[in-house]
Amino acid sequence: MAATAFSASKFTQSFSLNSTRSVDRPPLFPASHPLKTTPSSFLGSTRKLSLSSPSSSTSRHRRRPCRSPAVVAVSEVVKEKKSKSNVSLSNPLITKEEGLELYEDMVLGRSFEDMCAQMYYRGKMFGFVHLYNGQEAVSTGFIKFLKQEDCVVSTYRDHVHALSKGVPARAVMSELFGKTTGCCRGQGGSMHMFSKEHNLLGGFAFIGEGIPVATGAAFTSKYRREVLKEADCDHVTLAFFGDGTCNNGQFFECLNMAALWKLPIVFVVENNLWAIGMSHLRATSDPQIWKKGPAFGMPGVHVDGMDVLKVREVAKEAIGRARRGEGPTLVECETYRFRGHSLADPDELRDPAEKARYASRDPISALKKYMFENNLASEAELKAIDKKIDELVEDAVEFADESPLPARSQLLENVFADPRGFGIGPDGRYRCEDPKFTEGTAQV
């Protein structure tokens, strides 16, 4: 794929990451498709991201005087350090402790979401519930590289991001049940997870709504370090969003701002190939989202989002760049959701063969296989983790079910800075406690 040069600030960090080409995925377009411009497949292809000056063969009219060296973006980044045949059992990509941590976090996400489906259909949850099954490698691969002080901004598919960031399963499940013991006291529900303690800045229901919030959080980190002189403030923000978001204005505006100010942020695109029922290939003029990064002067990276080890390598580099003050990175994680868009979606639009192909590449099964092949864990150890997670999720359900519902007085809390005159009557009591509270409001 031809490289394209863009004038931008000088970057010195390049990516050369572990990857293995997937051989079972189809090309992005059939050979006859009018938009196919490259002989390499987008889905699962592996190339290196090069951050260097354009070669001398670059045409003169494309050079601009008095500018810094250009960022040259090539395809999807993940370049194999060693071929499969060279990866010996004595030199695995992760330690045993790291592997067990990754496995436990991914199993927790999967088991929690499976339980959510059960509880939703039993009437324990209300509204829309969007599950994360199949995408666990992205959440685990990125968030497990963060510090407690680092921030995460999510979407409406946010339960697993919250769990990976450390929010207790009890608090997440209670929030889904709409109980006061939830992380938002039952007022956020499935799509609005938030935890100040864990620097989870929210799930956001509107498409692209969280990206400006994440950009602001990254600006806060930079301001504290450079203006307030807090030398130890090297905090990084992760902004998670889907492929459908990448055609929205907030996305482009925030890429520009983050690159202009070299903010410590990583934009993580969870490209599961479908925006509700719209195929990603039909929704955007260039399906390769990673290429939008270099257009704004930041690295653009594509990685196999079904492999937690590949995601982890990219996350390490991107988060490290941000923490060192080298600016933002756009990472496109090509993944797949195993369930419908939400639990109200019958999921009849996707090709069954496509779903089966991705199901065969389950990220948890792939990690499990890798750990066995590299003698990082035994069957008994992984079964013990499975049992532990099952008990934890069951406990979360029992806790949520037994927790109290919010009082009516909570209805108007956190709506107005000063609810007097609206939420609180002359007697000092919340007006919503009055049975006639809503009487006559149609005239207001």
Side-chain angles (χ1 to χ4, degrees), residues 138-167:
V138 181
S139 179
T140 297
F142 267 95
I143 296 178
K144 286 306 173 184
F145 259 116
L146 297 181
K147 300 190 298 186
Q148 175 76 16
E149 298 82 6
D150 295 329
C151 296
V152 168
V153 176
S154 185
T155 65
Y156 48 72
R157 206 178 299 276
D158 56 355
H159 317 156
V160 177
H161 293 152
L163 294 170
S164 292
K165 194 62 171 74
V167 182

Side-chain angles (χ1 to χ4, degrees), residues 378-423:
S378 65
E379 184 76 35
E381 287 175 309
L382 298 190
K383 284 185 176 180
I385 290 177
D386 294 341
K387 184 175 184 294
K388 171 185 173 182
I389 295 302
D390 286 343
E391 293 173 353
L392 188 151
V393 173
E394 290 282 354
D395 172 74
V397 170
E398 292 178 9
F399 177 80
D401 200 35
E402 295 170 359
S403 295
L405 290 166
R408 290 190 70 191
S409 61
Q410 192 177 314
L411 179 64
L412 295 176
E413 293 181 17
N414 306 318
V415 178
F416 298 96
D418 183 358
R420 287 174 297 182
F422 178 80

Side-chain angles (χ1 to χ4, degrees), residues 40-240:
S40 67
S41 165
F42 169 60
L43 300 184
S45 61
T46 56
R47 293 191 184 180
K48 181 180 179 182
L49 177 72
S50 173
L51 301 177
S52 58
S53 302
S55 65
S56 58
S57 61
T58 305
S59 58
R60 181 167 302 185
H61 74 276
R62 294 183 64 183
R63 294 196 177 203
R64 297 180 182 180
C66 304
R67 295 288 184 93
S68 302
V71 173
V72 179
V74 256
S75 188
E76 297 112 0
V77 150
V78 200
K79 178 74 174 177
E80 196 171 12
K81 287 181 179 176
K82 300 178 181 179
S83 65
K84 269 188 172 180
S85 59
N86 292 332
V87 178
S88 66
L89 296 180
S90 61
N91 188 31
L93 299 174
I94 51 176
T95 65
K96 177 174 182 175
E97 292 72 21
E98 290 170 338
L100 293 176
E101 179 188 30
L102 297 176
Y103 180 81
E104 181 171 329
D105 192 62
M106 293 172 71
V107 170
L108 171 60
R110 178 71 58 84
S111 299
F112 189 93
E113 297 293 72
D114 286 343
M115 182 60 75
C116 285
Q118 293 186 43
M119 295 299 105
Y120 180 86
Y121 293 128
R122 292 181 187 179
K124 297 291 186 179
M125 301 176 187
F126 306 94
F128 289 102
V129 176
H130 308 79
L131 301 187
Y132 200 75
N133 298 53
Q135 301 181 201
E136 295 88 357
V138 181
S139 179
T140 297
F142 267 95
I143 296 178
K144 286 306 173 184
F145 259 116
L146 297 181
K147 300 190 298 186
Q148 175 76 16
E149 298 82 6
D150 295 329
C151 296
V152 168
V153 176
S154 185
T155 65
Y156 48 72
R157 206 178 299 276
D158 56 355
H159 317 156
V160 177
H161 293 152
L163 294 170
S164 292
K165 194 62 171 74
V167 182
R170 280 184 165 192
V172 178
M173 189 66 76
S174 293
E175 189 61 36
L176 286 158
F177 276 46
K179 300 299 184 69
T180 57
T181 52
C183 55
C184 296
R185 299 194 302 159
Q187 290 182 269
S190 172
M191 296 189 279
H192 300 284
M193 294 289 164
F194 175 88
S195 175
K196 179 180 179 181
E197 175 188 355
H198 299 89
N199 288 301
L200 176 69
L201 302 187
F204 292 88
F206 287 101
I207 301 301
E209 183 185 12
I211 301 178
V213 175
T215 305
F219 177 80
T220 299
S221 299
K222 187 178 180 70
Y223 186 88
R224 288 176 57 188
R225 184 179 181 86
E226 297 185 4
V227 179
L228 301 182
K229 304 302 181 183
E230 298 180 16
D232 60 341
C233 184
D234 61 352
H235 308 158
V236 173
T237 298
L238 297 184
F240 290 94

